Amino acid sequence: MYPIPIIAEALINGLMLGAVYALVAVGLTLIYGVLHIVNFAHGAFLTLSMFGIWLLWEHAGLDPYLSILVLTPVMFGLGYAVQRFIIGPAGHGRDNSILLVTLGISIIIENGLLVVFKSDTRTIATDYGFRVIEIGPLLLSWPRAVGFLVTMATAVVVWLILNRTDAGKAIRAVAKEKLGARLVGIDVNHIYALTFALGSACLAVAAGLLMPVFYVNPQTGGAFVLVAFTIVVLGGMGSVTGALLGGLLIGVVEAASSLFLGDSLGQIGIFLLFILVLLFKPTGLFGARI
Amino acid sequence: MLEVRNVRTGYGETEILRGVNLTVAEGEIVAVLGSNGVGKSTLNMALSGILPLWSGEIEFTGKRIDRLSPAEIVEAGLVQVPEGRKIFPNLTVEENLELGNYRGDRSRRKAMVADVYATFGRLKERRRQYAGTLSGGEQQMLAIGRGMMSGPRLLILDEPSLGLSPLLVEEMFGLIGRLAGEGLTILLVEQNVIQSLEIASRAYILENGEVVVEGAARDLREDSRLRQAYLGL
C-alpha cells in the first residue's frame, strides 16, 4: 500500500488530466447530441490543433497558452466550414454517408499531416512543463492545474453559450426537435455548422493545454478521441455535463489504475469501467440533456 | 391572402398531393378536413417550405413562396403550429417562446412574450419549467403561443385538438375563435369535422390527396353526403 499523500497526489493529478479529456469529450458529445453523428474527424481535428500550437511555438515563439487565443477562432471557423461546405452537402442527410465523410476527412487530415510533418514526434519544452505546486505534502503538476482551471472556464463559457445566447438556445432546440426548429424559422444547416464549430473550438483549447505536457505526431489525436468516446458513452450520449463529469472520472480512474497496476496498464481501468457501465447502465451515468 | 394552385408533391416516389387547389382570404378561418393519411400534413409541410413542390404554385400576400426557405416563409408571416406540437422539451417555456421569434430583436421579443402570457396565463405561471414537463393541453398552448411570437398574418393549426380531453378541445376551439376575432387569418387542419365546421367560414375536404368537396361551412354542415361520410349521421 502506498502512503496516503502519494495516492491523493496521483488522484488529483488524474483529475486534472481528466479535465483535458473532458474538453475533447465535450466537443464530441455536443456534435453527437445535435447532429446525431459520431464525428470520426474529431481526433484528426485535435491533432491538427496540436500541430497548430506547435507551429506557433516553433515559428512565432508564442506560448501554448497564448496560442489558444489565436487557434480557437481558427478552429471555430474551420469546423464551421467543414460541416457547412463538406460534411453537410456530401452527407445528403443520411447518417451512414455523414459517418463516412467524417472518416474520410480524418484520413485526409492525418495523411496530409504525415506528408508535411512526417511521423516524427514533436514536443514543446516550456520552462513550466515540469513545474510543481506544493500544497502541504502534495506535489501537483502546474501545467495540469492550469489545464484543469482553463477547462472549467471553457465549460462555463460553453454553458453560457448554450443557455444564454439565441444561437445556443437554437442549438439545444435543434438537438431535440429539428422539425419544430425549422418551423419557427431556425436555419438548421447553420446551427449544425455552428455546433461543429463549437466542438472544434473546444479542441483548440484542449490542444493548447496538452502541448506543454504531451507530444504530437500525426496520430496523436486518435488516442485521445478513443478515451473521449468512452467518456461520451459514460456520461450519456449528447450530455455536455455528463461529458465533463465523465472526463474527470476517467482521469481519476486512469491515475488510480496507473498507480496500482503500473503505468503501462493505466488505461485498463478506463475500459474496465466502460464495460461495466455498458453492462449495468447503458444509457450512461448522467443521463442525456444538452 | 393564401392561394394554392395545382400543388403536387410527395415523399420519394410516392405522390401524396395530386393537384390541390385552395384559397384563404384575409380574416377567414378556413378548415381543411379529412381523415388520417389523406395528405393534410403533407400540404402543411409544402406550405411551410419543408417539402419541395413537384409542380404547382403557392402564393402568399401576392408573392410566390413555394421556392422560399422555411425561415423566409416564417418571415413573410406564414407560420405553422405543427401536428404533435413539436415544442422543444429540453428548453423552458419562456425559451420556447423566445425561439418563436428567433429573428426578432430583443425588445420586440419581450413585448411578444408579454402578449402571449396575456393570452395564456398558464404559460406565465410555468415560464421557468421545461416544456417537456407540461401537460398535453399546456403543450398545445405553448405551441400556439410560440407560433404567435413572430406576429404571423396567417396561422396554420395542424390538429390542435388531437390528444386533448373533450373539455380542452372545447377550450381550444374557443381560443381559435378568439384569435380569429383579433384579426388573425387561420388555416385549420383537423379531423374533428363537427367543431371545425362550427367555427370555420369555409372548408375543404381532402381525400387521397385531392380536394373532393369545398364550400361554405354552413352548407357543408347540412350536406347529407358529408354527414354520412364524416359525421356518421
Side-chain angles (χ1 to χ4, degrees):
Chain A
M1 196 61 192
Y2 295 97
I4 299 290
I6 292 203
I7 297 176
E9 200 176 285
L11 296 185
I12 294 173
N13 278 324
L15 188 76
M16 297 191 301
L17 171 72
V20 182
Y21 284 154
L23 205 47
V24 178
V26 163
L28 196 62
T29 208
L30 198 60
I31 293 170
Y32 178 83
V34 178
L35 286 83
H36 307 294
I37 54 156
V38 175
N39 174 23
F40 280 119
H42 208 60
F45 270 47
L46 176 61
T47 315
L48 199 62
S49 307
M50 289 170 85
F51 270 111
I53 299 283
W54 181 80
L55 279 176
L56 286 170
W57 167 266
E58 196 69 15
H59 295 289
L62 204 55
D63 181 86
Y65 296 144
L66 289 177
S67 296
I68 290 176
L69 299 176
V70 179
L71 208 61
T72 301
V74 173
M75 288 306 292
F76 186 91
L78 185 70
Y80 188 96
V82 164
Q83 163 60 31
R84 186 92 205 223
F85 303 114
I86 300 175
I87 300 176
H92 296 290
R94 282 190 298 271
D95 286 355
N96 50 352
S97 322
I98 296 171
L99 217 71
L100 288 176
V101 174
T102 65
L103 191 61
I105 289 171
S106 81
I107 292 171
I108 292 169
I109 293 177
E110 272 179 24
N111 287 284
L113 289 172
L114 264 177
V115 170
V116 180
F117 295 102
K118 311 291 179 264
S119 59
D120 299 341
T121 289
R122 294 160 208 260
T123 54
I124 288 178
T126 56
D127 49 13
Y128 50 74
F130 292 99
R131 193 183 293 172
V132 290
I133 311 171
E134 277 189 64
I135 301 179
L138 305 180
L139 296 177
L140 304 178
S141 152
W142 189 84
R144 285 191 183 186
V146 170
F148 181 80
L149 293 175
V150 173
T151 296
M152 291 304 139
T154 309
V156 169
V157 170
V158 169
W159 187 88
L160 285 174
I161 290 174
L162 288 178
N163 289 281
R164 291 285 180 270
T165 68
D166 286 350
K169 288 171 189 175
I171 286 175
R172 286 158 59 219
V174 169
K176 285 280 150 47
E177 186 42 72
K178 195 167 121 188
L179 177 61
R182 294 182 76 186
L183 288 174
V184 297
I186 293 172
D187 179 349
V188 171
N189 290 331
H190 170 66
I191 293 300
Y192 278 177
L194 218 51
T195 308
F196 218 88
L198 209 53
S200 307
C202 288
L203 293 177
V205 180
L209 298 177
L210 276 172
M211 276 317 283
V213 290
F214 212 73
Y215 58 86
V216 61
N217 65 43
Q219 273 89 40
T220 305
F224 280 94
V225 169
L226 188 61
V227 175
F229 186 69
T230 312
I231 293 166
V232 168
V233 175
L234 207 64
M237 307 278 284
S239 162
V240 172
T241 323
L244 199 62
L245 296 177
L248 299 177
L249 179 63
I250 284 287
V252 172
V253 168
E254 183 176 343
S257 48
S258 304
L259 186 63
F260 293 111
L261 306 174
D263 255 344
S264 57
L265 293 177
Q267 295 215 326
I268 273 195
I270 298 178
F271 295 106
L272 214 63
L273 178 66
F274 183 56
I275 291 168
L276 288 176
V277 168
L278 284 186
L279 280 175
F280 297 108
K281 202 159 183 314
T283 51
L285 293 177
F286 309 104
R289 163 162 281 151
I290 186 164
Chain B
M1 178 177 243
L2 178 70
E3 199 154 336
V4 176
R5 285 190 290 268
N6 277 317
V7 162
R8 289 176 55 247
T9 185
Y11 297 94
E13 299 279 292
T14 317
E15 186 173 12
I16 309 277
L17 297 183
R18 305 188 297 171
V20 169
N21 290 284
L22 67 84
T23 60
V24 179
E26 185 141 19
E28 270 190 310
I29 301 182
V30 172
V32 174
L33 308 169
S35 43
N36 234 339
V38 297
K40 302 194 301 294
S41 290
T42 307
L43 173 65
N44 288 343
M45 290 305 138
L47 289 173
S48 285
I50 304 281
L51 194 63
L53 303 190
W54 293 1
S55 65
E57 293 172 5
I58 301 171
E59 216 178 270
F60 180 64
T61 59
K63 285 187 282 285
R64 287 278 294 271
I65 57 162
D66 47 70
R67 289 288 176 80
L68 299 185
S69 72
E72 289 166 329
I73 291 173
V74 168
E75 211 147 273
L78 178 64
V79 173
Q80 176 182 172
V81 179
E83 182 184 352
R85 296 139 198 164
K86 308 294 179 200
I87 53 160
F88 309 123
N90 54 332
L91 270 63
T92 65
V93 166
E94 189 143 312
E95 286 174 331
N96 266 270
L97 293 178
E98 286 167 1
L99 285 183
N101 191 322
Y102 183 55
R103 294 169 158 234
D105 60 83
R106 271 173 193 275
S107 60
R108 178 168 155 73
R109 194 182 290 172
K110 260 201 164 135
M112 296 302 287
V113 170
D115 271 7
V116 172
Y117 284 155
T119 314
F120 303 102
R122 202 52 183 276
L123 294 182
K124 188 173 185 180
E125 287 168 29
R126 308 201 172 239
R127 60 205 282 186
R128 304 254 171 265
Q129 219 170 302
Y130 284 110
T133 65
L134 299 181
S135 73
E138 291 164 346
Q139 290 193 8
Q140 187 62 53
M141 284 183 200
L142 178 58
I144 294 177
R146 187 183 66 180
M148 300 293 295
M149 279 294 297
S150 60
R153 304 185 60 184
L154 189 154
L155 198 62
I156 303 173
L157 296 170
D158 194 347
E159 306 271 14
S161 73
L162 197 71
L164 299 185
S165 70
L167 201 70
L168 282 176
V169 170
E170 211 54 62
E171 211 176 289
M172 190 53 64
F173 278 98
L175 170 74
I176 296 168
R178 279 211 309 284
L179 292 177
E182 287 162 17
L184 191 63
T185 308
I186 291 173
L187 185 66
L188 176 62
V189 179
E190 261 290 349
Q191 290 191 53
N192 191 330
V193 173
I194 305 179
Q195 269 163 313
S196 301
L197 286 179
E198 265 164 31
I199 63 166
S201 47
R202 291 184 306 112
Y204 295 83
I205 293 181
L206 225 54
E207 233 171 60
N208 273 326
E210 282 171 304
V211 172
V212 288
V213 179
E214 61 173 287
R218 195 180 335 106
D219 300 339
L220 294 181
R221 279 202 298 267
E222 306 305 321
D223 189 302
S224 60
R225 280 179 306 158
L226 224 81
R227 292 171 71 90
Q228 262 181 344
Y230 291 98
L231 308 181
L233 297 172

